[in-house]
Amino acid sequence: MSKDPFEELFGPGDEETKPIPARERLAYEQAERVKTAPLPKAKAEKPVKEKKPAKAKPAAAADPRIAKAKPWIVVGIVTVVALVASILVLNFARAGQDPSPTAEPTTQAPATSAPATSKPADDDSEKKKKPAADEVPSVDVGNTGTMDVPVWGITAQISEKFGWPQYQINGEQLVLQYSPLIDSLPDSCAAMRQQWGIQRTADGKYEVLKPAQRCEAAPELYDELWGLTDALVKSIAPL
């Protein structure tokens, strides 16, 4: 005999069989159906088709303006090439027609003649720069002041560049003393510091009293003293 399904689940019953509630029976039947129901078949998956990459369109088809501009680009390149070629052809033609000029020998005057002609000009300029031995140098006297000489009965205008010196009369010579300008002569010309002033001649005329020789150590100062003393002598007037 087959066993009762309830007996399998809940074990053998007691001596007295009790009725099974409807809910329990319904749950049991559903559980049995789930056990015995066949599993659903899995649907076969459809193969996925690979998409092929789109073919690239040519540049002319993508941009119609490029296709229209191509002929003009070609024409421009051809024009440039033609110009360069024509220039090269002209250069080669000129090079073939005009031979390079050859240097012709030239005769030049002897170089020794130039210094000979320039020496007189140099000599003239040196003569203009250096005054003659008996020529009074031209100087700027500047402001002057009155110097009276009562012993001789004369008065004169002396340049302030002398520094308002004193004077000493030795016979027919008036010697300027204590002049800062005269005392600035170098030591090599120290003897000349007592040789500047006025010389009175036997016929009553006045001349410049100055050293007989030029001070080589200070030629410019010597010329300035000579010019200022000459201006002093020329300004002599009766007192």
Side-chain angles (χ1 to χ4, degrees):
M1 292 179 65
S2 61
K3 291 183 180 181
D4 188 4
F6 288 98
E7 187 177 357
E8 291 180 0
L9 289 174
F10 301 104
D14 298 335
E15 294 180 357
E16 292 182 0
T17 304
K18 295 180 180 181
I20 299 171
R23 290 183 179 178
E24 294 180 3
R25 185 178 291 278
L26 181 60
Y28 173 77
E29 290 179 356
Q30 288 180 353
E32 287 296 325
R33 289 175 183 174
V34 170
K35 289 181 181 181
T36 57
L39 296 174
K41 295 181 180 181
K43 294 182 179 180
E45 295 181 357
K46 294 182 180 180
V48 180
K49 295 182 180 180
E50 295 181 358
K51 294 183 179 180
K52 296 181 179 180
K55 295 182 179 180
K57 295 181 180 180
D63 193 352
R65 291 179 296 179
I66 298 176
K68 291 180 180 179
K70 275 185 178 180
W72 296 105
I73 295 173
V74 174
V75 171
I77 294 173
V78 172
T79 304
V80 173
V81 173
L83 287 174
V84 174
S86 62
I87 292 171
L88 292 176
V89 171
L90 288 174
N91 290 336
F92 285 127
R94 289 178 182 176
Q97 291 178 0
D98 299 335
S100 58
T102 56
E104 296 180 358
T106 57
T107 57
Q108 295 181 355
T112 56
S113 61
T117 56
S118 61
K119 282 184 179 180
D122 295 340
D123 294 340
D124 294 341
S125 61
E126 290 179 0
K127 288 180 181 180
K128 291 179 181 179
K129 291 180 181 179
K130 294 182 179 180
D134 56 350
E135 183 180 355
V136 179
S138 177
V139 296
D140 181 15
V141 178
N143 297 327
T144 60
T146 301
M147 186 182 73
D148 296 334
V149 185
V151 178
W152 285 356
I154 61 172
T155 182
Q157 297 295 317
I158 186 170
S159 174
E160 66 177 4
K161 292 183 179 180
F162 280 109
W164 313 117
Q166 299 179 8
Y167 63 86
Q168 180 179 0
I169 295 177
N170 297 324
E172 301 299 325
Q173 293 181 349
L174 184 150
V175 181
L176 298 174
Q177 294 180 342
Y178 308 111
S179 169
L181 185 62
I182 297 175
D183 292 342
S184 64
L185 286 168
D187 293 340
S188 59
C189 302
M192 298 181 183
R193 296 171 185 171
Q194 302 296 325
Q195 299 178 12
W196 295 95
I198 302 172
Q199 175 74 43
R200 187 171 64 174
T201 63
D203 56 358
K205 294 182 180 180
Y206 299 96
E207 296 177 353
V208 174
L209 177 65
K210 65 180 183 64
Q213 295 180 353
R214 185 184 181 87
C215 180
E216 299 297 336
E220 294 179 357
L221 178 57
Y222 180 91
D223 292 342
E224 185 177 10
L225 290 172
W226 184 3
L228 294 176
T229 307
D230 180 74
L232 172 65
V233 173
K234 289 179 179 179
S235 68
I236 293 176
L239 185 61

